[in-house]
Amino acid sequence: MSTLGEGLLGEGLLGGEGGGDPEPAAAAPDVALDYAGDRFLAAISGPHEVAVRAVLLDGGDGTDLPTVVDGSVTLDANAATRGRCDLSIADDGTLGWIPTDSDSDLGPYSKEIRIERGVRYADGTTELVPLGVFRIENTGIDDSGAELAIALSGQDRSARIIDAKFEEPYQIAAGTNYATAILTTIQAT
């Protein structure tokens, strides 16, 4: 099992190497596209400023969520649901992200979040690595500090497949083309 932050990417979703608490990442002017390049690999092997981006997906391009203050992504190849996330985002109550019902943007089962983590360089550019797309499963509000924090947890898209089990036997006629059978089966769920 691999938790984001072990090995290649540093400690936790926001943690970098080099000690101290990192500042939450803000939007950077440029996003470089070759995140597997030598510059990126050199940066993550030593002290670096961590950049995190969480995007709410609802069928379109997506909407950036407010500052991510804490979180983790766990990837486990042996689990039924391969990826899980826990995320805490800042909201002072005026941003409109606090869910008020299950149909709210951050309400459980309503939308998905794409999480990316990477490096912010001294020149202001940022390189981000996609960690996955996660369906929001649980939402909570933490009002114990100076700011409100919205706690989100989610599972990757494999949870949809697990949830979409057939409720009765499903048969495919003998001699059906394999591609047609697969497409028909997917569309039936």
Side-chain angles (χ1 to χ4, degrees), residues 2 50 53 82 88 114 158:
S2 173
V50 175
R53 181 176 182 215
R82 306 282 169 99
S88 184
R114 183 179 67 237
S158 66

Side-chain angles (χ1 to χ4, degrees), residues 13 62 71 76 96 143 151 154 162:
L13 193 59
D76 183 351
D143 191 10
I162 293 167

